[in-house]
Amino acid sequence: MTSSAAPASLEVSGLAFAYPDGHQALFGIDLTVGRGERVALLGPNGAGKTTLVLHLNGILTGGAGSVKVAGLPVEKRNLAEIRRRVGIVFQDPDDQLFMPTVREDVAFGPAASGMRGAELEARVHKALERVGMAEYADRPPHHLSFGQRRRVAVATVLAMEPEILVLDEPSSNLDPASRRELADILRALDVTVLMVTHDLPYALELCGRSVILSGGTIAADGKTADVLADEELMRTHRLELPFGFDPRAAAAKA
Amino acid sequence: MGAGHAHKLYRQAASPVHDLPPHCKIAAVFLFVIVVVSTPREAVWAFGLYAVLIAVVAGAARIPAGFLLKRLLIEVPFVAFAVLMPFVVPGDQVHVLGLALSKNGLWGAWNVLAKGTLGVAASVILASTTDLRALLLGLQRLKLPSLLVQIASFMIRYGDVITDEMRRMSIARRSRGFEAKGLKAWSVLAKSAGALFIRSYERGERVHLAMVSRGYAGSMPVIDDVTATGAQWRYAAVLPASALVICLLGWTL
């Protein structure tokens, strides 16, 4: 799957992890995401998706195996650079947006890495522009609608110009229009995306490739249309399509 | 700051006081309060002059008297204590309308009342002319420990979020037939408060996670900074400087 010369955006190999209470969440994960790819990470609740995501920027460490982001290993001495390269958008935008105004929130990441002044201002404006929220820069986040907050949350990590954008349930709690608007924004971005989601039509719409994580191992890795159409596979891993949704027909239409 | 919605403490207007940089105003109010507190309580006229100063500043800030007086009501619970003083403080007694009042207590009550009211009035003016965000920038500029500024900034950001959560919990309780009345309700309310605390704590952990993921390493990056010119400092200094003159007169006369 990986493209030629440039190192893959994400290389996970042999990653295993057990929580301090003994619960083993990951059993040897191998996953490579090439530059510019959009990959959906599917799986039932408790499959280890969040655990995997928290390994990508070194919040969780200490298990076996390795994670590399654009060739740089996730290690203590690289953490600052890793966290700049891996932009995680968490599920609840109220957790993600912690500054008093939208502008300051988007500025937080780049400012933390030392950017100041006009350069910072330009970076913030560009990130907000990309999600269509530039005119809300001076608003406090709690005065925005949920969909707007989710878009600002995406801008906060875009402002760091990440190598890979990791989205945790990007479509959750969005009304259909906001959900589509977010899809348009994500499609227009020229960045590698790893999208954790239960929203299978959304995965089909946005991601050419899907990976099923189940019971702490990769259970499937292939074209989204094929993965979703494999009824046996889907049933085994507690994945269900919405009523009346036919992945083959939808993929053919797209 | 062009915030779309302002906090209710803030009163939007265009005035020279609104235009002053926040750290000048904070410093001026702080010094003013210190000067007022160090004035001898017997110099009653001095407190009258302080009140005139406050009125002048309020006028310059386009704050109507009624607005200011209403905000002063916040003081009432503290004043209740002052009212008790003439009755409980031992010492020489004076008789007013058949009541035996302690002279010392009367002076004490006056002292608390006058200084408290002036302090609250100055703070009300500060709060009505400076929005919360600017106050934080001012405190940051005045080199208040960054941890305190961070805590205050999170209070502002998450106050509404937590109030919302509290409201949802209350709706959930009432939807299941709970009405808060009687002693029995207390246990339910206490458990709700506990649950709210745990939820907020967990949110705190998630927020921290999000911060760390964006490169937070213990200190907030300075994104906005406020600066003041010498003229602005001098303008802000008018209040504490005139108060200081009054205070010195109070000590010498």
Side-chain angles (χ1 to χ4, degrees):
Chain A
M1 286 308 298
T2 49
S3 55
S4 54
S9 284
L10 180 68
E11 277 175 274
V12 180
S13 59
L15 187 68
F17 180 78
Y19 280 98
D21 65 1
H23 169 70
Q24 176 118 19
L26 300 176
F27 297 86
I29 303 286
D30 293 294
L31 176 66
T32 302
V33 179
R35 179 159 289 174
E37 249 190 308
R38 281 200 300 268
V39 177
L41 183 61
L42 314 175
N45 288 330
K49 301 189 295 288
T50 305
T51 310
L52 175 58
V53 165
L54 293 181
H55 273 89
L56 303 185
N57 72 347
I59 298 271
L60 290 178
T61 49
S66 73
V67 178
K68 278 189 201 163
V69 178
L72 187 71
V74 176
E75 285 169 9
K76 197 145 197 154
R77 61 199 163 87
N78 297 333
L79 274 191
E81 177 58 18
I82 288 292
R83 285 178 186 167
R84 198 197 59 69
R85 289 187 187 187
V86 181
I88 302 185
V89 180
F90 291 94
Q91 194 173 351
D92 185 347
D94 275 330
D95 297 341
Q96 180 103 21
L97 308 175
F98 46 79
M99 296 291 275
T101 64
V102 165
R103 190 176 59 82
E104 287 166 282
D105 217 300
V106 177
F108 182 90
S113 64
M115 194 181 279
R116 292 287 181 276
E119 196 189 2
L120 179 63
E121 212 54 48
R123 183 72 78 85
V124 169
H125 185 76
K126 190 173 149 212
L128 283 173
E129 199 95 284
R130 285 167 90 181
V131 299
M133 291 294 293
E135 66 265 45
Y136 296 89
D138 284 317
R139 293 279 194 92
H142 58 266
H143 287 143
L144 303 177
S145 76
F146 195 89
Q148 290 173 326
R149 271 181 276 169
R150 171 82 35 86
R151 273 148 65 186
V152 173
V154 172
T156 63
V157 301
L158 286 181
M160 302 197 292
E161 303 197 331
E163 168 76 25
I164 179 166
L165 188 63
V166 181
L167 302 154
D168 190 1
E169 294 288 353
S171 62
S172 64
N173 292 327
L174 294 184
D175 59 41
S178 309
R179 180 175 173 279
R180 181 194 45 76
E181 281 163 9
L182 185 66
D184 293 342
I185 289 166
L186 293 177
R187 236 192 313 264
L189 295 177
D190 178 24
V191 61
T192 311
V193 171
L194 181 67
M195 189 170 109
V196 177
T197 188
H198 291 297
D199 185 344
L200 302 177
Y202 214 51
L204 182 63
E205 190 183 340
L206 286 171
C207 305
R209 177 181 162 206
S210 282
V211 174
I212 295 182
L213 185 65
S214 184
T217 56
I218 301 274
D221 183 346
K223 278 181 68 179
T224 305
D226 297 341
V227 170
L228 297 192
D230 187 338
E231 287 175 30
E232 177 62 36
L233 178 73
M234 296 282 282
R235 206 172 15 253
T236 320
H237 301 295
R238 285 181 62 79
L239 293 172
E240 282 182 19
L241 293 162
F243 176 75
F245 184 78
D246 179 0
R248 294 218 179 276
K253 241 189 310 181
Chain B
M1 301 254 91
H5 308 253
H7 197 271
K8 53 187 176 296
L9 277 179
Y10 179 67
R11 190 171 180 282
Q12 191 103 39
S15 86
V17 182
H18 282 77
D19 291 342
L20 274 182
H23 53 300
C24 300
K25 285 190 270 190
I26 296 169
V29 167
F30 182 67
L31 293 174
F32 174 76
V33 169
I34 287 184
V35 169
V36 167
V37 169
S38 7
T39 311
R41 60 190 187 185
E42 285 80 8
V44 177
W45 55 271
F47 294 99
L49 289 180
Y50 291 147
V52 172
L53 280 181
I54 288 287
V56 170
V57 176
R62 315 243 191 294
I63 300 174
F67 178 87
L68 183 60
L69 291 174
K70 222 163 48 199
R71 287 285 159 85
L72 280 178
L73 289 178
I74 181 115
E75 208 197 356
V76 166
F78 305 94
V79 173
F81 168 73
V83 172
L84 281 177
M85 287 178 82
F87 300 97
V88 295
V89 174
D92 293 345
Q93 305 261 307
V94 288
H95 291 269
V96 180
L97 300 171
L99 282 172
L101 300 176
S102 140
K103 217 168 155 187
N104 241 336
L106 278 175
W107 275 118
W110 155 253
N111 196 29
V112 170
L113 201 62
K115 292 178 178 176
T117 309
L118 287 167
V120 172
S123 315
V124 167
I125 294 179
L126 175 65
S128 333
T129 59
T130 321
D131 79 29
L132 284 171
R133 182 65 205 127
L135 273 180
L136 286 179
L137 289 176
L139 291 171
Q140 175 186 305
R141 180 67 208 228
L142 290 171
K143 302 270 181 261
L144 193 77
S146 122
L147 209 55
L148 289 182
V149 179
Q150 285 178 44
I151 291 172
S153 129
F154 286 125
M155 262 170 61
I156 295 173
R157 170 64 183 90
Y158 287 102
D160 288 346
V161 173
I162 291 173
T163 318
D164 246 24
E165 209 147 345
M166 209 160 74
R167 199 177 42 83
R168 283 201 300 273
M169 286 168 78
S170 150
I171 290 174
R173 277 198 308 266
R174 279 184 286 148
S175 307
R176 283 183 277 162
F178 172 83
E179 278 305 327
K181 54 183 169 215
L183 266 181
K184 258 194 160 160
W186 287 22
S187 126
V188 175
L189 293 178
K191 279 174 197 143
S192 301
L196 187 65
F197 173 78
I198 290 170
R199 283 190 196 185
S200 305
Y201 184 87
E202 285 176 340
R203 182 181 294 281
E205 286 187 326
R206 292 198 303 272
V207 171
H208 182 247
L209 197 63
M211 293 173 71
V212 170
S213 297
R214 280 199 276 151
Y216 175 78
S219 69
M220 277 320 215
V222 177
I223 294 164
D224 287 309
D225 210 356
V226 278
T227 50
T229 62
Q232 284 172 320
W233 273 114
R234 280 192 292 281
Y235 186 58
V238 170
L239 175 69
S242 4
L244 185 62
V245 172
I246 299 172
C247 175
L248 292 175
L249 286 174
W251 278 105
T252 47
L253 292 183

